[in-house]
Amino acid sequence: MFAGPLQALVDELGRLPGIGPKSAQRIAFHLLKVAPEDAMRLAEAVVAVKERITLCPRCFNVAEGDLCAICTDTRRDGTVLCVVEDPRDIVSVEKTQEFRGRYHVLHGALNPIEGVGPDQLRVKELLVRLDDESVTEIILCTNPNLEGEATAMYLARLLKPLGVTVTRIASGLPVGGDLEYADELTLGRALEGRREVDA
Amino acid sequence: MFAGPLQALVDELGRLPGIGPKSAQRIAFHLLKVAPEDAMRLAEAVVAVKERITLCPRCFNVAEGDLCAICTDTRRDGTVLCVVEDPRDIVSVEKTQEFRGRYHVLHGALNPIEGVGPDQLRVKELLVRLDDESVTEIILCTNPNLEGEATAMYLARLLKPLGVTVTRIASGLPVGGDLEYADELTLGRALEGRREVDA
């Protein structure tokens, strides 16, 4: 439709997640217009990520080179592991500034329909860490949806017999939320997880 | 926030139009996961566009090398020029299969607030074409919005004294549309532009 290389770029952009045909066109024409060095910076950033980013061999967070920044930080508490589905979830937890332990990234959640079982996740590697490291608590921080809950349940059953404390992040109303707009499942969980008020 | 090169890619992606911080993260992690050759194809497509795509020196459509595919096509009718704001608009007009003439791309529309006057558009080049080529009709195919209408009006006043037929694409209800949902401006234009029915 467009001149060869332009159409090729539109096609490649259209393969990215969340980019429809119109967005792909818009981005391609944007790149056509910007200064060559700006476009080159993008191309080089793609190449650099493929060449230099690896997974941390211990926690499977993204890393540059060997261990990730959190695993190499000796000030982090090695006795508490926060288990997440995705490296991006680490950023979310870090932002809370409530957690000073280490992480373990599963790279997905159990999903039998899509063929994701425990063998497709980094579960074996988690068990190895329990043997090697002095872990006393595991916080299951998978998403509070169907797959995340199933994964948390599976891991809890697997890990509890090994003598570690296994906890799950709380479900409930979001802070600043409104009872009127809460769905019944969330409100039910909030009631179930109620705590005595210190007064 | 993320390891160096990954954060750099997130930043570069976030600079693209229509890509927010969350989408930039999602795309960066997608590129981290795909086969290296898939990511390289994207990087190379960006480079190829900057190196090989130029503007057609006659109509300012995107081109590979010298004249664009439409200007080099001798079967196109050189007496009718369709004036559009953007090269992407050519694709839209071509899809209708209703037009066999040539194009002229203004690369924008008049917008005094943003400092876009006739000198920022390819207006002078259009006048040169009227001198050089055997143009008899100019179809003003700018967008039916404030800037596009102003541009069409400006061009009509400029071109009519030169002895060419100047036409404007019709405004009205979209085909398959519904009177109930038409805005009053569009419906007003549709009434104003009514045509006698051949029956």
Side-chain angles (χ1 to χ4, degrees):
Chain A
M1 214 136 67
F2 295 112
L6 188 58
Q7 187 61 44
L9 179 58
V10 172
D11 293 345
E12 288 302 326
L13 290 168
R15 269 188 258 281
L16 299 176
I19 307 280
K22 281 280 165 197
S23 310
Q25 277 186 25
R26 187 147 63 118
I27 295 171
F29 274 85
H30 167 85
L31 288 171
L32 200 58
K33 252 185 237 167
V34 298
E37 52 272 26
D38 290 345
M40 291 307 146
R41 260 210 321 279
L42 172 64
E44 282 158 13
V46 172
V47 174
V49 154
K50 297 307 283 187
E51 284 177 352
R52 288 166 49 197
I53 294 287
T54 53
L55 289 185
C56 173
R58 189 190 285 169
C59 77
F60 303 97
N61 183 13
V62 289
E64 210 185 333
D66 197 36
L67 288 178
C68 76
I70 291 171
C71 282
T72 49
D73 185 346
T74 52
R75 290 163 306 174
R76 307 285 304 211
D77 177 3
T79 65
V80 191
L81 283 192
C82 179
V83 177
V84 295
E85 295 181 20
D86 190 281
R88 274 166 288 182
D89 299 332
I90 294 182
V91 176
S92 304
V93 177
E94 287 294 293
K95 272 195 198 147
T96 68
Q97 303 194 321
E98 293 279 345
F99 181 69
R100 294 297 302 162
R102 295 226 164 94
Y103 292 91
H104 189 83
V105 185
L106 296 172
H107 284 274
L110 293 179
N111 191 337
I113 296 167
E114 304 220 337
V116 182
D119 291 346
Q120 277 71 49
L121 306 176
R122 301 289 188 175
V123 173
K124 261 196 310 275
E125 291 86 345
L126 177 60
L127 296 176
V128 171
R129 291 184 71 180
L130 291 189
D131 271 347
D132 295 353
E133 302 171 33
S134 49
V135 178
T136 58
E137 181 181 354
I138 290 192
I139 304 175
L140 300 172
C141 198
T142 53
N143 288 324
N145 57 21
L146 205 65
E147 294 80 19
E149 290 289 358
T151 309
M153 194 63 74
Y154 169 84
L155 288 177
R157 286 191 188 140
L158 186 74
L159 299 172
K160 270 198 170 164
L162 305 178
V164 284
T165 306
V166 181
T167 57
R168 175 84 175 113
I169 49 163
S171 279
L173 295 192
V175 177
D178 199 321
L179 269 183
E180 191 180 348
Y181 300 112
D183 64 288
E184 58 224 48
L185 267 175
T186 301
L187 188 52
R189 288 289 195 88
L191 283 168
E192 198 188 314
R194 68 192 180 276
R195 301 166 96 186
E196 203 171 342
V197 182
D198 305 318
Chain B
M1 212 138 65
F2 295 111
L6 188 58
Q7 186 61 46
L9 179 57
V10 171
D11 292 344
E12 288 302 327
L13 290 168
R15 269 189 259 280
L16 299 176
I19 308 278
K22 282 280 165 196
S23 310
Q25 278 187 25
R26 188 147 62 116
I27 295 171
F29 274 84
H30 167 85
L31 288 170
L32 201 57
K33 253 186 235 165
V34 298
E37 53 272 25
D38 290 346
M40 290 308 146
R41 260 211 321 278
L42 171 64
E44 283 158 12
V46 173
V47 175
V49 154
K50 296 307 283 186
E51 284 177 352
R52 289 167 48 199
I53 294 287
T54 53
L55 289 185
C56 173
R58 189 189 288 170
C59 76
F60 302 96
N61 183 13
V62 290
E64 210 185 335
D66 198 36
L67 287 180
C68 75
I70 291 170
C71 282
T72 48
D73 185 346
T74 52
R75 290 163 306 176
R76 308 282 307 209
D77 178 3
T79 65
V80 192
L81 282 193
C82 178
V83 176
V84 294
E85 294 181 20
D86 191 281
R88 277 166 287 183
D89 299 332
I90 293 183
V91 176
S92 304
V93 176
E94 286 295 292
K95 274 195 195 142
T96 67
Q97 303 193 322
E98 294 278 345
F99 182 67
R100 295 297 302 160
R102 295 226 165 95
Y103 292 91
H104 189 83
V105 185
L106 296 171
H107 285 274
L110 293 180
N111 191 337
I113 297 166
E114 304 219 337
V116 183
D119 291 345
Q120 277 69 51
L121 306 177
R122 301 291 187 174
V123 173
K124 260 196 310 275
E125 291 86 345
L126 177 60
L127 295 176
V128 172
R129 290 184 72 180
L130 289 188
D131 271 345
D132 295 353
E133 300 171 35
S134 48
V135 178
T136 58
E137 181 182 354
I138 291 193
I139 304 175
L140 300 173
C141 198
T142 54
N143 288 323
N145 56 21
L146 205 64
E147 292 82 17
E149 290 289 358
T151 310
M153 193 64 73
Y154 170 84
L155 288 177
R157 286 193 189 140
L158 187 74
L159 299 171
K160 269 196 172 166
L162 305 179
V164 283
T165 306
V166 181
T167 57
R168 175 85 175 113
I169 49 164
S171 280
L173 294 193
V175 177
D178 199 322
L179 269 183
E180 192 181 347
Y181 299 112
D183 65 287
E184 61 226 47
L185 267 176
T186 302
L187 188 52
R189 288 288 194 88
L191 282 168
E192 197 187 315
R194 68 190 180 279
R195 301 166 96 186
E196 203 171 343
V197 183
D198 304 320

